[in-house]
Amino acid sequence: MNTAMTREELEKILDQALQDVTERTAGVRLSQGEQPLGKDLCTVHITFDKGFGTSLTLCADTGLLVRMARNSFHEEAVTPEDLEEFSKEYLNVLCGKITGAMFRATQVPAHFGTPVFYHGRYEPEGQEAQFILTYSDEHSEGAQLIHHVPCAQEDAGAPKQTEQEGDLIR
């Protein structure tokens, strides 16, 4: 996802999109911070299958997602199915906003797959976190938006030089 821009520029796009979509769709204001997540978590994961070989994972306190779903649905009671449906649609909307901003910045069209919902924390295989944006709300509940990139492949112990940094990787 960061082929034609710096990590800082990408972080800014993700941060602005997340804060805007969260406030508009769920009426919740999130601010960046170092708030650790609780133990009761849900994760939604989505892969960009065209344009960028990366993925995004939203891991959040279940209580935060429930409150966001209640606000979005204007309902007091939220079933587990409602929570899953809201979480997947929320990530769809967020990725739509992100791909629009990415296209304006890079002129690379992107397409993302169907989001997948998990109870607990989910880590995608074959990918590693490039960076994590951590958020909390006014109730000290938190969320993390994680940008994943493919794991660096090793070539039979031979050192490889990365194009960007000129570092040797073993």
Side-chain angles (χ1 to χ4, degrees), residues 151-163:
C151 289
Q153 300 296 318
E154 296 182 12
D155 243 350
K160 283 201 279 188
Q161 194 168 10
T162 62
E163 290 179 28

Side-chain angles (χ1 to χ4, degrees), residues 59-125:
C59 185
D61 288 319
T62 301
L64 173 61
L65 289 174
V66 166
R67 196 161 23 81
M68 289 169 60
R70 284 180 184 152
N71 291 350
S72 180
F73 295 153
H74 305 288
E75 298 283 335
E76 199 50 43
V78 175
T79 67
E81 293 80 17
D82 292 338
L83 178 63
E84 180 175 342
E85 186 62 33
F86 167 78
S87 299
K88 292 186 331 188
E89 186 56 32
Y90 168 80
L91 193 59
N92 261 332
V93 172
L94 178 60
C95 287
K97 186 157 185 84
I98 290 167
T99 56
M102 293 297 299
F103 181 77
R104 287 188 294 281
T106 66
Q107 299 303 302
V108 175
H111 178 267
F112 49 91
T114 304
V116 183
F117 180 85
Y118 301 91
H119 290 282
R121 184 178 286 278
Y122 170 77
E123 306 266 337
E125 287 185 33

